[in-house]
Each structure stands twice: as C-alpha cells, then as structure tokens.
Amino acid sequence: MRVLVVGSGGREHALCWALAASPLLTKLWCAPGNPGTAQHAENVPIGVLDVAALVDFARQNAVDLVVPGPEAPLVAGIADALAHVGIACCGPSAAAARLEGSKTFTKEIADAAGIPTAKWERFDDAETARDFVRRRGAPIVVKADGLAAGKGVVVAASVAEAEQAITDFMDSRTLGHAGDSLVIEECLIGEEISFFALCDGKHAIALGAAQDHKRVGEGDTGPNTGGMGAYSPPPVFTPELEHETMARIVRPALAELARQGTPFRGILFAGLMLTADGPKLIEFNVRFGDPEAECLLPRLQSDLLPALLAACDGELANFALRWRKRSALSVVMAARGYPGTPVRHSKLGSLAAAEAVPGALVFQSGTERLDGQLVSSGGRVLTVCGTGETLAEAQACAYRAVGAVHWPEGFFRRDIGWRALG
Ligand code: AMP
Ligand code: GLY
C-alpha cells in the first residue's frame, strides 16, 4: 500500500507514526509534513489547499490511499477530486464536509435526524439577531456560520457580550464571509468531550473519546487555543455514554446524510457536552482532533491502515478494532506568544532525551529545520504524549518527557488531566 497523508501538524505526525507500523505499508508520503513526519514518511512540498497538485502527485506516484488530516482540503473537495481519478480517500466529499464548514448545515442535519443538541435559530441580519438575544437573555452562544479557525464562537455571559459578538461578526465583518449568517443557540452546561467514529458512508465504529483543554492557561483560563493537551479515555465517558452517543448522535447523522445523498466517509468528530440530560451535540468536525489524535492513536492496538481502507470500501459493518488497556495523556508545548503571535524560529534542543522516556512519544507540529537546527515555526510546536496503566501514570510519563525537552522559549500547561485527576 502506498499512502499519502496530508497536513503538517502533530495529528499528521501521529497518523504517519501509526501508519508506518502497518505491515501492509510499502511507501508513505506526507504533504507538506514537518521534521517529525519525516521520521516515518517522505515529505512532499505541496500545501494542504493545493488540491490539484496533491491529486497530480497521487496519480503520478500510484498512491493507493490519501489520508487528509485537517478539514481545509476536505472542504475544498479533495475527496471528490480523488474519487474522479479512482484514488481512495479516507475523508468526506465536500458536500458531507459541510458538517464542519457550516454550522447551519450541522444544525439542520441534527434536527432532521432527531439528534440532541442546543436549541438554535439562524439569523441573516444583525438587528433581528440583537433583538433575539435581548429577548432570550444570557448565557447564550453566538456562532458565525462559516469556518473561522476557532474564532467564530462566543459563549456570552451577558446580553451586552452577545450583542458585541453580533456586531463584530455581522457589522464589522471581523471574520469576513464566515459572518454572513449567524447561529444563536442555547448555552449547554456540562463537561465537554471529543468523540470520534470511523465511518464508511453507512456504518460507523467508535474510536473512543478524549478530553481537550482549549484555554491557554492553567485552570482553564485565558484565551481559546487549538488545544493545549488531551487525555484518553476520559473516565467520565462511560461505555454506556459511548453506546448512547453512537445510537443517538453518530448513527442518526450518518443515516440522514446518506438519505440526503451525501454519505459520510472518514473520521467523524462529535464535540459533545455531557449535560444532566445526557450527551448533546455541540458540533461535528470531519477529521481527527489535534491534540486528541496524539492520545487516541497511541492507544490503538490494531493496524490503522486496514481500518481506513475498510472505511473507504464501505466495509466497516463487521470490522472491529482492538485498543490497549492503557491511558494516554498529551501535553502541548507552545511558543511564547501563542495563541497571539508566537515567537518564530526559536531554537529547540535535541528531543532524544524526551523520546527516550519509557512510554513517551514526541509528536512535532510547528517545527522546521534551519541549517540542521530544529526551530519553532508555529504556535503549537510539540505534543508530548505519555502512556501508562492508569491516567495518573500517563500524566507522570508525559510530564517526565516534557521536562526532558530543552526549549527556553516554549511553555505548556502543568495541569493537563485536572478534570479527571484533580
Ligand atoms: P465550536 O466551534 O462549535 O466547537 O465551539 C467552540 C467552543 O464553544 C466549544 O468547544 C464549546 O466549549 C463552546 N460552545 C459551543 N457551543 C456551545 C453551547 N451551545 N453551549 C456551551 N458551550 C458551547
Ligand atoms: N482540539 C480540537 C480540534 O482539533 O478541533
């Protein structure tokens, strides 16, 4: 099997690491990749949004399977373009990727399929939207409809804050076209979970759950980030809740998408709130989470590659995956300044000592090599995963490895796992 992974983050490093272990693999590429993916794959200098060049590369190199990591190439139609030339892609069509590209689309699917989610309304003009929040009161959640790189959601504690968000998105156009329309919805209370399922258009198998830490600061304070750490499995997410999530959220969504003629293939990421009334859907994404992938994939005992192929071939009905009875916890190391403007090209010491910690894995995201020296090239730079028999052991392992990274201009949260471990 000749496989091309698309992306350049810690998630793609973890995907390359997992795929490289497959006996079925004969050749692995990663576009554009990073120095971490280069340990397992040959990096190809093509950007994730250059769909035409990615498809050309896949054709010319007789690639059997393409695995897109981020949502952008999926929303841009890479799966459709690959289907055109007969190459398998473990990811949804552009039509099904609207689950991540449009909040309205997701809410309509949820309502049509009877999926538990926050009550919502859609607005195309700011005055009507402001009127609605004044009548409803706070807390209330204001969301720009389109893709906004995590900046399109405001959980407003007051009516004034909600009105400000409406003004920013619709009048000031802070997010451009993403703010053409808004979804305003009920605020859900509970613990947040990232749940993943592998889907073949008709059937889905659970890949399990992880709990992310979105705020930059300890104790979940400060601005939102792409995620500062995660752990899996989260003890709050019992097997009963997993069963309920598959039965009430994942399978109904798949059935509704298939009914509409846009079957979903690939990784379905359900952002859930565990409310007093059970799990409710916050959002769908059409890919693995980052840093969630970096603590889910290390727990997978089965070969990942046949599972991804079965998803492409519509053959997941009788497919089962085995998981290690171990916990994993990932700590993100970010460059000073993140999530604002991170320092660039700050030097990292050798990662060998961290990689040598028993049970630890070091995944690279925003790194590059300058004259042989490993330097930072983005906000989130490393995701250090620890594994162990228990979550507490995984946490200790992760922080032992973090402590072995010499990087004066990096920072990390010291409390990853606090919800489960106190
Ligand atoms: P989203 O981009 O939809 O994932 O939203 C970003 C974050 O906003 C989520 O991860 C939640 O923490 C929060 N959020 C979104 N919708 C709601 C809601 N209805 N109630 C409470 N929090 C929400
Ligand atoms: N860590 C959240 C995400 O990947 O969207």
Side-chain angles (χ1 to χ4, degrees), residues 126-127 129-138 140 159 163:
E127 213 30 62
R130 277 190 287 264
D131 215 51
F132 178 78
V133 302
R134 278 183 220 120
R135 277 185 286 118
R136 275 299 158 90
I140 195 158
V159 169
E163 288 184 286

Side-chain angles (χ1 to χ4, degrees), residues 103 141 143 153 185-188 192 214 273 282-283:
K103 309 247 186 245
V141 181
K143 301 185 172 185
V153 176
E185 65 180 34
E186 164 200 11
C187 186
L188 300 173
E192 226 177 305
K214 295 206 167 159
M273 194 72 89
I282 299 175
E283 60 162 355

